[in-house]
Amino acid sequence: MKPIKVGLLGIGTVGAGTFNVLKRNQEEIMRRAGRSIEIAMVADLNLERARELTQGECEVVNDANLVVSNPEIDIVIELIGGYGIAKELVLKAIANGKHVVTANKALLATHGNEIFAAAQQKGVMVAFEAAVAGGIPIIKALREGLTANRIEWIAGIINGTTNFILSEMRDKGLDFATVLKQAQALGYAEADPTFDIEGVDAAHKATIMAAIAFGIPMQFDKAHVEGIARLEAVDIRYAEELGYRIKLLGITKRTEDGIELRVHPTLIPEKRLIANVEGAMNAVLVQGDAVGATLYYGKGAGSEPTASAVIADLVDITRLATADPEHRVPHLAFQPDSMSNLPILPMSEIVTSYYLRMHVADRTGVLADVTRILADSSISIDAMLQKEPAEGEAKTDIIILTHQTREKNIVAAIEKIQALDTVFGAVTKLRLEDLS
Ligand code: NDP
Ligand code: HSE
């Protein structure tokens, strides 16, 4: 059978990994795909670097339009990133009848509905294993391996950069800026690292997983996004004293009223496997009604781990390229005419447990006032930690862990606690997930 011809857009961190792994493991990959997969054309703005990387083994151009309009190309791999030119090129490739592989979670979370509709109409595949959790085959697991299940919730460490930052800061006492620079040098961070730090990248990935798990359209605009920039070292310490680790989690849950879709720093019991995922590693915990909990762990970023997922998609497409489009796996796991319209819930309606830290006067009755406010709001306390005031200080920290309650209840209770004249400054609120 003649080789399937691939055009690669962007030969940066992931593009170079894809080129190298495909070359190194060509024979093994061909035995799996049943056909040779050949990168015939590469487009990159940096022609010199692209030529050096490809060593004359394929045509190199700096205008990506030449790739997406080349009738010889069967599959286009988009590894440029962002939603500008990348979106234009992906839609052009689809319009020209080409299958697409992309690692671009930002593009899919924000414009996925339009892209999948266009692909559906054209009868081409858009594959995106690398878009969530790098080298971990989580899309395959959700879309194919778990199809028997009603998926109940997913919680994942799905941003390598922030997990790397949190781990290095805790273990080596390094400062935020130093560790971020390391993450950038190692190729983990996004072109704009605020996407990592502010939780946007994790929210893109959570949006994609929610769509596949529950059969809903991509709704990134309704996701709650909170990163690690405002996380304080003191809370990491207190959480540890209480037996918890703080991780940036992407969480999506099906409830009777709708879907929770949120990214925020989260306390997790330290005995959970996922609490011990360190460095740039990712892990995704999926709860299905039949299978129970399954955990997927591996490298969530970096050149070759991500290339592994890109090439898995190439092999899938190669195997299915000649199949009737009706008989392929649907892009979002559910048939396009069987999507659900369950709404994404506003944050005020989510239900979880909370960690509260407050700076209070070290005086009789303060704790009673705080617990009375919580009790009046039907919020029950799970654990509490009261610190000794520092030498000569008349103020101290109280840390309270609550049982589950609705977010709007805790927000209202915090307002009342902050109004007490024995409570100084804002109450720090973090969410806690038991994940049992
Ligand atoms: P890089 O910035 O390393 O690579 C992007 C490449 O695209 C660069 O070589 C860039 O050239 C080139 N490029 C930019 N504009 C154009 C254009 N108009 N035409 C052709 N080439 C262009 O990014 P990554 O490889 O890290 O990321 C690629 C995608 O993969 C992104 O969507 C990212 O989110 C995703 N991803 C990345 C992971 C990682 O670990 N890095 C993991 C999972 C997903 P130049 O440098 O000259 O601008
Ligand atoms: N910037 C992303 C991360 C790359 O750190 O996880 C992988 O998607």
Side-chain angles (χ1 to χ4, degrees):
M1 213 177 204
K2 79 178 179 58
I4 199 146
K5 301 258 185 191
V6 178
L8 174 59
L9 312 182
I11 188 159
T13 304
V14 183
T18 301
F19 190 89
N20 292 335
V21 174
L22 197 53
K23 186 171 153 193
R24 189 169 76 231
N25 297 342
Q26 199 175 52
E27 210 179 296
E28 194 93 348
I29 291 166
M30 184 175 158
R31 282 172 57 214
R32 292 194 171 106
R35 218 170 143 181
S36 153
I37 299 174
E38 185 188 300
I39 296 191
M41 232 177 153
V42 169
D44 199 283
L45 296 182
N46 189 334
L47 274 179
E48 201 181 321
R49 196 189 55 207
R51 288 206 178 103
E52 204 176 299
L53 285 165
T54 53
Q55 298 282 306
E57 289 180 24
C58 63
E59 188 182 348
V60 175
V61 294
N62 71 354
D63 181 1
N65 285 294
L66 296 175
V67 178
V68 298
S69 57
N70 182 344
E72 294 292 307
I73 298 292
D74 304 299
I75 307 175
V76 167
I77 312 179
E78 183 279 306
L79 295 174
I80 291 173
Y83 358 70
I85 185 75
K87 179 185 175 199
E88 210 177 285
L89 291 165
V90 163
L91 287 173
K92 266 192 201 166
I94 292 170
N96 291 338
K98 298 182 193 317
H99 304 293
V100 172
V101 175
T102 180
N104 192 338
K105 54 268 167 160
L107 176 64
L108 294 180
T110 50
H111 300 288
N113 300 328
E114 180 185 350
I115 289 168
F116 294 127
Q120 177 74 15
Q121 210 200 350
K122 257 321 214 181
V124 296
M125 290 172 268
V126 175
F128 50 94
E129 184 62 71
V132 182
I136 305 174
I138 186 65
I139 300 295
K140 190 88 167 173
L142 288 172
R143 201 164 53 178
E144 298 175 47
L146 297 174
T147 43
N149 288 265
R150 184 179 157 86
I151 293 173
E152 291 164 356
W153 53 260
I154 302 174
I157 295 173
I158 45 179
N159 182 268
T161 302
T162 43
N163 205 50
F164 180 75
I165 291 173
L166 290 176
S167 304
E168 294 286 292
M169 283 174 72
R170 200 192 69 221
D171 296 345
K172 301 191 181 150
L174 296 173
D175 66 276
F176 189 94
T178 308
V179 191
L180 173 59
K181 273 198 195 118
Q182 286 177 7
Q184 288 176 296
L186 289 163
Y188 303 150
E190 294 303 298
D192 177 357
T194 57
F195 269 43
D196 297 294
I197 293 153
E198 297 295 347
V200 177
D201 176 73
H204 287 147
K205 294 165 179 167
T207 299
I208 295 172
M209 290 198 291
I212 298 173
F214 307 125
I216 55 172
M218 300 281 182
Q219 294 166 79
F220 170 70
D221 54 332
K222 299 199 181 116
H224 172 81
V225 188
E226 204 177 309
I228 61 166
R230 280 161 292 283
L231 188 59
E232 293 184 52
V234 66
D235 295 311
I236 299 177
R237 254 197 346 264
Y238 287 159
E240 290 208 345
E241 283 184 43
L242 287 157
Y244 292 83
R245 292 265 167 88
I246 300 184
K247 296 286 182 186
L248 184 70
L249 283 193
I251 298 168
T252 184
K253 271 187 200 172
R254 188 205 302 255
T255 75
E256 274 178 18
D257 306 323
I259 307 286
E260 295 184 6
L261 179 56
R262 48 193 168 98
V263 169
H264 47 72
T266 312
L267 277 83
I268 317 171
E270 69 188 0
K271 58 183 183 234
R272 301 270 176 268
L273 278 176
I274 196 167
N276 295 285
V277 171
E278 303 293 359
M281 303 305 277
N282 279 196
V284 184
L285 189 54
V286 183
Q287 179 75 24
D289 69 336
V291 72
T294 50
L295 179 66
Y296 307 83
Y297 170 82
K299 288 188 177 157
S303 181
E304 293 205 356
T306 312
S308 163
V310 170
I311 296 168
D313 279 344
L314 281 181
V315 172
D316 263 0
I317 292 182
T318 304
R319 286 170 172 157
L320 290 169
T322 53
D324 179 348
E326 299 294 309
H327 298 137
R328 293 182 188 142
V329 182
H331 290 115
L332 292 181
F334 291 75
Q335 298 298 337
D337 57 1
S338 301
M339 299 294 277
S340 155
N341 56 8
L342 259 184
I344 305 288
L345 294 171
M347 269 314 265
S348 54
E349 295 302 328
I350 71 135
V351 175
T352 189
S353 305
Y354 293 87
Y355 160 106
L356 306 177
R357 171 172 57 85
M358 55 205 80
H359 200 51
V360 301
D362 185 29
R363 204 192 297 156
T364 318
V366 176
L367 192 54
D369 289 342
V370 171
T371 53
R372 192 175 313 112
I373 291 173
L374 292 173
D376 288 349
S377 313
S378 305
I379 298 167
S380 91
I381 295 174
D382 180 38
M384 209 164 58
L385 183 67
Q386 182 165 7
K387 304 304 289 182
E388 281 290 311
E391 186 79 28
E393 268 271 0
K395 294 174 188 168
T396 190
D397 281 344
I398 291 178
I399 299 94
I400 293 175
L401 303 186
T402 76
H403 285 294
Q404 286 199 337
T405 185
R406 214 169 276 280
E407 178 113 350
K408 64 182 172 199
N409 296 343
I410 201 88
V411 169
I414 287 173
E415 265 180 37
K416 289 183 192 153
I417 292 171
Q418 284 176 167
L420 295 171
D421 59 7
T422 46
V423 173
F424 307 105
V427 172
T428 298
K429 174 193 84 195
L430 292 168
R431 299 176 188 90
L432 183 157
E433 292 285 339
D434 188 60
L435 302 181
S436 57

